[in-house]
Amino acid sequence: MASEKDAQTIARDTAAKGRNVAEDTTRRMAETAAETTQRGADTASDMMGKATQVAGQVAGQTSDQLNRMMGLSAQAQGEVAQQARENMDVMTQCGSVLMDGMQSIMREWMGFAQEAMARNAEGINAMMRSRSVQDLYAAQSSMVKDEMELLLNRSVKVSELSAKTANDAVRRLNARAEGAARHIRRSA
């Protein structure tokens, strides 16, 4: 009888420790994912703002320099200015695509954190219901397996979102480059 009570006490203590570790790990993972995603979104936003500003300055300077160097006609100057505006529009669109992608990735990580916490609570409850040390270890193993499976599945989803975002941005850049090439061929 004493050994059964000892086993139950050990099971309860182990389950409590497991619950604390699982909750702490999930909380830290969620915080880290949110912080990383937010830093990435902030950096992307800052970079886009700076890139737009610099690109606008460079486009204006380049246009002025070309006009002076080549003595372009008013019509040619207008075309150069139009192409510079179109390039800026594409850069802005790409930045928007990247920001939307970052937001989707952030939502995915936040969904992971919420689902992980719910699964942890279920796993802890299963461990608390354990009647033997073997039951406890089985519940704990199941919880760890489920956590890793969830993390890997969400990581795949985040990778897919990242690839889609990059492909969308590249597609917009390529469309602009093709449009500029057609314009140059028509002008020649």
Side-chain angles (χ1 to χ4, degrees):
M1 192 73 167
S3 66
E4 189 175 313
K5 284 188 178 185
D6 290 341
Q8 288 177 349
T9 302
I10 290 170
R12 272 194 289 276
D13 290 347
T14 304
K17 287 177 185 175
R19 179 181 63 240
N20 291 339
V21 169
E23 288 174 352
D24 187 50
T25 300
T26 301
R27 182 185 47 75
R28 282 186 287 159
M29 287 171 52
E31 288 172 358
T32 300
E35 288 170 7
T36 300
T37 304
Q38 187 60 48
R39 279 196 305 266
D42 292 345
T43 300
S45 179
D46 290 346
M47 288 174 56
M48 190 56 203
K50 289 176 184 175
T52 301
Q53 182 182 11
V54 169
Q57 292 171 351
V58 169
Q61 291 171 355
T62 302
S63 178
D64 291 343
Q65 289 172 352
L66 280 173
N67 290 339
R68 284 194 301 267
M69 282 177 26
M70 299 183 162
L72 295 176
S73 67
Q75 180 183 359
Q77 289 176 11
E79 287 178 17
V80 168
Q82 177 63 28
Q83 287 182 4
R85 278 191 297 276
E86 289 174 9
N87 288 340
M88 287 303 301
D89 286 345
V90 168
M91 293 303 291
T92 302
Q93 290 172 12
C94 287
S96 177
V97 166
L98 293 173
M99 289 304 297
D100 288 346
M102 288 296 294
Q103 288 176 345
S104 295
I105 290 168
M106 187 169 157
R107 280 191 298 272
E108 193 64 35
W109 280 122
M110 295 309 295
F112 162 75
Q114 290 173 342
E115 190 172 344
M117 290 187 75
R119 284 189 181 194
N120 276 341
E122 291 170 12
I124 302 246
N125 286 335
M127 289 185 341
M128 295 299 283
R129 289 188 303 266
S130 297
R131 298 275 184 210
S132 67
V133 174
Q134 290 83 8
D135 289 346
L136 174 70
Y137 289 141
Q140 185 181 29
S141 294
S142 179
M143 187 174 91
V144 169
K145 180 189 99 28
D146 289 347
E147 277 297 312
M148 290 308 297
E149 186 177 284
L150 177 63
L151 176 63
L152 293 173
N153 286 338
R154 290 295 175 116
S155 294
V156 166
K157 179 73 173 174
V158 167
S159 294
E160 290 170 351
L161 287 170
S162 297
K164 180 187 178 305
T165 299
N167 286 333
D168 289 349
V170 166
R171 206 172 300 117
R172 289 179 191 246
L173 286 174
N174 286 339
R176 171 62 189 127
E178 290 171 9
R182 279 193 301 272
H183 180 73
I184 289 171
R185 284 191 294 270
R186 271 188 258 130
S187 298

